[in-house]
């Protein structure tokens, strides 16, 4: 269980995390999602007591992380794959961390096997591939057999096999009743791994939602209609379960009615249609839409936008 | 909710891991493992021991050759113990850099975040690094110092001196102690500056450059200030007969330790306060 209460962090005049509150529950994988620069890593560092919050506080398993007598047994963390001295072997790295809390060599061997590092464990970390580095980070997070895991972008740099491995591992750990908190900037990955999503942008909470709900709400079909009489058609289509949006003159995005229904209404009132297209909204697009205002640096994209209701939270 | 409730989970595989607390002793053990598992650390220690012994004996051999010439001016000023310990000026570079690197390498690689996640109270890490370094450096450097002295005297033959002579044993052990404290200053500066180049520059600025600046002070100022500068105070312990104007050996060494202690205290305050 992780609880963040009004976490705030400023660097200079810039707000990195802004009054962020959420709860991460045991038993499910919780995805921590947001564009780059949204404050995910900073939040994780504050939870682990590495950065001091300007305001607010976070607790892990009911207590501030720094107050735990045996922190590695409470929380396993992967902050960056390369938080390791490249000149040391993976085995010695794990051994040194394990020693701080009296974890045995046997357990070190165990996590090396668990992470699939057996062959490279005695080589210097400097020669590790990115994927091996991530596996070493996972191994160190599992050392203390902790009830809570905090992993910052664990699938970064992994090959498909490694990604599948992480996904299975995280779900397994959550199924054992552990709290698993995983950050990512990839919606598609989180949709496959997580059950709960905490979405942030510019340091603020945007949504705290079950993945199933997010998928249901955002992947609904919309219908694109182009008509010279768009404003009139908008009024005709209006109904309790229908949402009509339109950024471009003469083009409407209709949700709640399929193409057939829209065509029939238009025909009944003699409205001319130039186009009637069903549009699928991908999860990635839904996520981008949700965090659009919160992205730090926009790239210019020529893509049309799909709108998503903010009913998520 | 109770902590007991939320930490309960069902392991599906493998035996449970014993839960033990973080203690100062365990953090020391961790730092011990870190120190010996890096080639760079081991090489630096070998370099420190090697230069201490090698340079001392080489100088003694040179001195022996010089002094053998009839009417040599070196004869009157000749300090056989000091010659055997001259490797200090080189060895201090290696030991100082090692003290700095023990800390700054963790910052430059990001390892410090793993270290401080494991020991979130932080200060035990500083005490452990300083403690492990002190033990290792003191044992090796005092041993190197005695080896350099005995080797040097063997080269000098009848012109040499012995440990039984007045002040000699203290000077020889003192060389090892001085080197240890130089490294400790490095550890402290490493935590303060968190950057290898900066901390190395600060350390040798303090030890090597500051005394030369002291010499340009007005004479009566200089006489009062110069003996108290870190390396001047620290090195009196190595002279068999301190020159007039120098501090007493143990007084000087205590002052040098004081500089190191202040540095470590500042390091502790900053380590506790700053974001990692």
């Amino acid at each position: 269980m992780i609880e963040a209460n009004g976490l705030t962090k400023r660097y200079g005049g810039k707000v990195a995390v802004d009054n962020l509150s959420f709860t991460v529950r045991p038993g499910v994988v919780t995805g921590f999602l947001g564009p780059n620069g949204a404050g995910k890593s900073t939040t994780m560092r504050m939870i682990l007591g590495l950065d001091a919050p300007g305001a607010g506080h976070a607790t892990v398993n009911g207590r501030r992380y720094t107050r735990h007598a045996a922190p590695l047994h409470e929380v396993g963390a992967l902050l960056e794959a390369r938080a390791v001295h490249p000149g040391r072997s993976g085995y010695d790295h794990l051994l040194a961390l394990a020693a701080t809390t009296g974890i045995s060599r046997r357990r070190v061997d165990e996590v090396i096997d668990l992470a699939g590092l057996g062959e490279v464990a005695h080589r210097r970390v400097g020669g590790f591939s990115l994927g091996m580095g991530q596996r070493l980070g996972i191994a160190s997070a599992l050392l203390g057999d902790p009830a809570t895991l905090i992993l910052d972008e664990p699938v970064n740099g992994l090959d498909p096999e490694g990604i599948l491995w992480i996904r299975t591992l995280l779900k397994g750990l959550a199924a054992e009743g552990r709290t698993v908190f995983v950050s990512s900037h990839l919606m598609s990955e989180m949709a496959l791994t997580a059950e709960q999503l905490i979405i942030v942008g510019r340091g603020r909470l945007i949504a705290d939602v079950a993945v199933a709900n997010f998928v249901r709400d955002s992947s609904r079909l919309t219908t694109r209609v182009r008509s010279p009489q768009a404003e009139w058609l908008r009024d005709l289509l209006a109904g309790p379960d229908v949402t009509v949006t339109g950024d471009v003159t003469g083009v409407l995005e209709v949700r709640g009615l399929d193409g057939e229904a829209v065509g029939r209404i238009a025909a009944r009132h003699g409205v001319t249609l130039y186009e009637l297209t069903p549009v699928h909204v991908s999860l990635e697009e839904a996520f981008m839409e949700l965090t659009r205002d919160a992205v730090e640096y926009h790239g210019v994209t020529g893509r049309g936008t799909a709108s998503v209701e903010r009913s998520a939270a | 909710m109770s902590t007991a409730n939320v930490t309960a989970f069902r392991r599906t595989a493998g035996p449970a891991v014993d839960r033990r607390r973080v203690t100062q002793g365990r953090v020391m053990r961790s730092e011990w493992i870190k120190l010996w598992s890096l080639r760079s650390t081991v090489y630096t220690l070998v370099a420190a021991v090697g230069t201490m012994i090698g340079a001392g004996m080489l100088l003694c051999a040179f001195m022996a050759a010089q002094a053998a010439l009839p009417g040599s001016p070196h004869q009157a000023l000749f300090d056989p113990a000091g010659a055997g310990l001259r490797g200090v000026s080189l060895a201090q570079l290696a030991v100082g850099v090692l003290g700095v690197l023990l800390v700054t390498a963790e910052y430059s690689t990001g390892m410090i975040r793993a270290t401080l996640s494991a020991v979130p109270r932080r200060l035990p890490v500083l005490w452990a690094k300083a403690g492990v370094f002190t033990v290792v450096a003191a044992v090796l450097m005092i041993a190197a110092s005695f080896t350099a002295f005995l080797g040097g005297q063997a080269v000098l033959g009848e012109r040499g001196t012995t440990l039984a002579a007045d002040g000699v044993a203290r000077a020889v052990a003192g060389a090892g102690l001085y080197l240890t404290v130089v490294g400790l200053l490095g550890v402290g500066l490493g935590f303060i500056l968190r950057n290898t180049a900066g901390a190395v520059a600060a350390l040798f600025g303090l030890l090597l450059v500051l005394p030369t600046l002291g010499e340009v002070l007005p004479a009566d100022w200089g006489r009062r200030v110069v003996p108290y500068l870190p390396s001047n105070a620290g090195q009196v312990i190595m002279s068999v007969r301190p020159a007039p104007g120098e501090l007493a050996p143990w007084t000087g060494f205590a002052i040098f330790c004081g500089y190191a202690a202040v540095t470590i205290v500042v390091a502790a305050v900053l380590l506790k306060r700053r974001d990692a």
Side-chain angles (χ1 to χ4, degrees), chain A residues 20 23 25 35 43 53 60 110 114 136 164 174 178 192 200 213 217 231 236-237 259 276 286:
Chain A
L20 193 55
T23 302
R25 290 187 179 77
T43 303
V60 187
E110 227 171 81
L114 201 64
L136 180 60
L164 189 62
R178 299 179 212 243
L192 291 169
V200 289
N213 292 345
D217 291 344
E231 287 314 305
L236 294 173
L237 294 174
L276 188 60

Side-chain angles (χ1 to χ4, degrees), chain A residues 9 49-52 61 65 69-71 73-74 80 82-83 88 93 96 99-102 107 145 175-176 178, chain B residues 3 9-12 17-20 22 26 30 34 37-39 109-111 113 117-118 120-122 275-276:
Chain A
K9 181 76 183 175
L50 291 172
D51 284 12
N61 306 338
Y65 182 71
H73 294 300
E74 297 292 336
E80 307 144 78
R82 295 291 165 167
R88 200 171 275 128
H93 172 75
T100 59
T101 186
R107 176 65 184 166
D145 194 21
E176 292 178 350
R178 299 179 212 243
Chain B
T3 308
F9 55 87
R10 312 169 302 278
R11 296 186 96 254
T12 50
V17 174
D18 291 337
R19 296 170 59 89
R20 298 200 182 90
V22 173
R26 292 192 172 124
S30 170
K34 282 189 199 167
S37 58
L38 280 182
R39 281 188 215 167
T109 58
M111 175 72 197
R113 282 183 282 280
S117 304
R121 281 165 219 258
R122 296 189 179 188
D275 287 343

Side-chain angles (χ1 to χ4, degrees), chain B residues 39-272:
Chain B
R39 281 188 215 167
S40 54
T41 330
V42 178
Y43 291 165
T44 315
L45 281 170
V46 170
V49 171
T51 50
M52 183 71 197
I53 298 170
M57 288 180 62
L58 207 66
L59 200 82
C60 286
F62 178 69
M63 289 285 200
Q66 287 276 304
L69 301 172
S72 163
H74 290 277
Q75 233 147 3
L77 296 168
F78 187 54
D79 171 12
L85 299 176
R86 284 298 287 278
V88 163
S89 48
L90 281 175
Q92 69 177 350
L93 302 180
V95 179
V97 167
L98 179 63
V100 167
L101 273 181
L102 233 45
V103 181
T104 56
E106 291 220 10
Y107 281 97
S108 63
T109 58
M111 175 72 197
I112 191 71
R113 282 183 282 280
T115 301
L116 296 183
S117 304
V119 188
R121 281 165 219 258
R122 296 189 179 188
L123 291 187
V125 174
L126 171 57
W127 309 143
K129 278 194 189 292
V132 166
F133 178 84
T134 303
V135 170
V136 171
V139 167
L140 287 179
M141 289 307 126
I142 291 174
S145 183
F146 276 96
T147 311
F149 172 80
L150 295 174
Q153 304 318 305
V155 171
L156 286 171
E158 60 191 24
R159 289 187 189 80
T161 177
T162 67
L163 285 173
D166 199 25
V168 170
R170 185 254 305 145
V172 176
L177 290 175
Y178 168 78
L179 288 173
T180 305
V181 179
V182 166
L184 265 180
L185 261 174
V187 171
L189 288 170
F191 270 113
I192 293 171
L193 295 166
R194 305 194 287 190
N195 169 288
T196 308
V200 167
L203 178 62
F204 295 119
L206 215 59
L207 295 179
L208 306 178
V209 182
L210 207 57
T212 63
L213 292 181
E215 281 165 22
V216 303
L217 290 174
D220 54 333
W221 267 63
R223 229 176 300 125
R224 252 174 273 161
V225 175
V226 170
Y228 292 92
L229 296 178
S231 49
N232 292 346
Q235 289 178 0
V236 236
I237 197 172
M238 294 185 274
S239 43
V240 177
R241 282 176 302 275
E246 281 186 336
L247 298 168
W250 288 106
T251 313
F253 186 67
I255 289 170
F256 187 52
C257 289
Y259 283 110
V262 169
T263 312
I264 296 281
V265 168
V266 172
V269 171
L270 291 176
L271 176 63
K272 196 76 186 165

Side-chain angles (χ1 to χ4, degrees), chain A residues 84-96 105-129 131-133 135-137 139-140 143, chain B residues 33 37 39:
Chain A
V84 180
H85 196 299
R88 200 171 275 128
S89 74
Y91 181 79
D92 286 332
H93 172 75
L94 293 171
L95 206 59
R105 264 169 205 272
R106 206 197 61 224
R107 176 65 184 166
V108 171
D109 291 332
E110 227 171 81
V111 295
I112 284 172
D113 286 343
L114 201 64
L117 284 170
E119 286 168 30
V120 296
H122 289 276
R123 278 191 228 151
R124 298 204 288 165
V125 176
F128 276 25
S129 67
M132 284 299 167
R135 284 169 183 266
L136 180 60
S140 60
L143 262 182
Chain B
I33 294 169
S37 58
R39 281 188 215 167

